[in-house]
Amino acid sequence: GESFPAFKLERETLPDIDWIAKSLEGLKPVRAGRFLVHGSHDRDKVKPGDIGILIDAGQAFGTGHHGTTAGCLNMIGDVLKSRRVRNALDLGTGSGVLAIATHLMARMPVVATDIDPVATRVARDNAKINGIANGIAFATAPGFHHAIFREHGPFDLIIANILARPLMKLAASLVRHLADNGTVVLSGILSEQRWKVIAAYNGAGLKHRRTTWMNGWVTIELVR
């Protein structure tokens, strides 16, 4: 690794504030296609025809204000409008927002997994808050080593909003869980990492369909 001899490390003591909750107090709802991700203070912003998703600031990543979440929501909306999707997997579900959006729009079974048990719990709670009693199966699972993938797969749509490096490492096993005419939506990828990710999925047998850009982040759609 590189060393930075001139780089001084300074410690700063931060007061114990829940920064995510703090930053969300003043946030506006996020609109992505028909989806409107909002906090409980903005329920009144949901218009007829909107698919409103209530996500209050939790401990898990994914309130909708990040370029990757909004990019994914837009792309998921397009995919669900343009083809028949019978089931979906949301890998690295975080707050559960993408799994919830997918289920609310298409009313089909969704599997949502995360490496972090806290995220899995938050996502499960968020599904309940959004009126989903069953329809989303949650599991804490690193990679694809869990019975839930075999029980519910293969999947017509796989959504993975994680980070470029784990996405590249998971390419072969992710594609193994994809149905024959399946679609993959990937995000959590910085623009400059885009070609490496596409190359990894080309190597696993998928074709690049399109890329969308948002604030330096990209969302990539791939098909068999």
Side-chain angles (χ1 to χ4, degrees):
E2 301 167 82
S3 66
F4 298 93
F7 196 75
K8 240 179 37 259
L9 277 180
E10 291 181 6
R11 289 189 73 148
E12 189 183 352
T13 313
L14 294 173
D16 194 15
I17 299 171
D18 181 345
W19 285 108
I20 301 180
K22 193 96 193 98
S23 66
L24 276 185
E25 280 164 14
L27 282 184
K28 305 277 174 285
V30 170
R31 179 171 289 288
R34 281 184 64 199
F35 299 118
L36 187 77
V37 183
H38 63 92
S40 36
H41 55 287
D42 275 319
R43 284 174 207 270
D44 56 330
K45 305 281 194 304
V46 184
K47 300 186 180 74
D50 282 351
I51 298 173
I53 304 166
L54 169 58
I55 305 276
D56 273 320
Q59 298 132 301
F61 175 79
T63 51
H65 288 82
H66 196 276
T68 66
T69 313
C72 276
L73 286 169
N74 275 321
M75 199 172 270
I76 289 164
D78 290 349
V79 168
L80 294 178
K81 272 196 311 238
S82 66
R83 64 203 84 145
R84 189 168 164 261
V85 177
R86 288 161 307 193
N87 64 347
L89 165 65
D90 178 24
L91 199 69
T93 195
S95 67
V97 62
L98 301 177
I100 292 164
T102 303
H103 181 73
L104 289 179
M105 183 165 177
R107 296 290 168 191
M108 62 180 174
V110 178
V111 168
T113 64
D114 203 284
I115 288 179
D116 178 5
V118 174
T120 313
R121 195 181 69 234
V122 169
R124 193 179 270 122
D125 291 346
N126 282 334
K128 283 198 191 90
I129 290 164
N130 283 279
I132 303 167
N134 43 39
I136 304 180
F138 292 95
T140 302
F144 284 92
H145 308 294
H146 195 290
I148 198 163
F149 301 109
R150 288 190 301 282
E151 285 161 20
H152 295 265
F155 302 94
D156 280 354
L157 171 62
I158 298 180
I159 304 150
N161 180 11
I162 37 180
L163 290 167
R165 207 161 279 152
L167 283 174
M168 285 153 65
K169 222 164 64 189
L170 288 169
S173 46
L174 187 148
V175 172
R176 270 199 300 277
H177 290 85
L178 186 66
D180 285 346
N181 54 353
T183 303
V184 173
V185 171
L186 304 178
S187 202
I189 303 157
L190 290 162
S191 323
E192 59 268 23
Q193 300 166 320
R194 169 173 176 257
W195 284 114
K196 279 186 179 163
V197 175
I198 290 172
Y201 282 82
N202 287 163
L206 297 191
K207 291 193 289 283
H208 172 255
R209 197 150 182 271
R210 65 183 178 135
T211 298
T212 58
W213 274 260
M214 202 175 278
N215 312 332
W217 297 87
V218 295
T219 303
I220 299 171
E221 180 185 353
L222 300 126
V223 292
R224 268 214 194 273

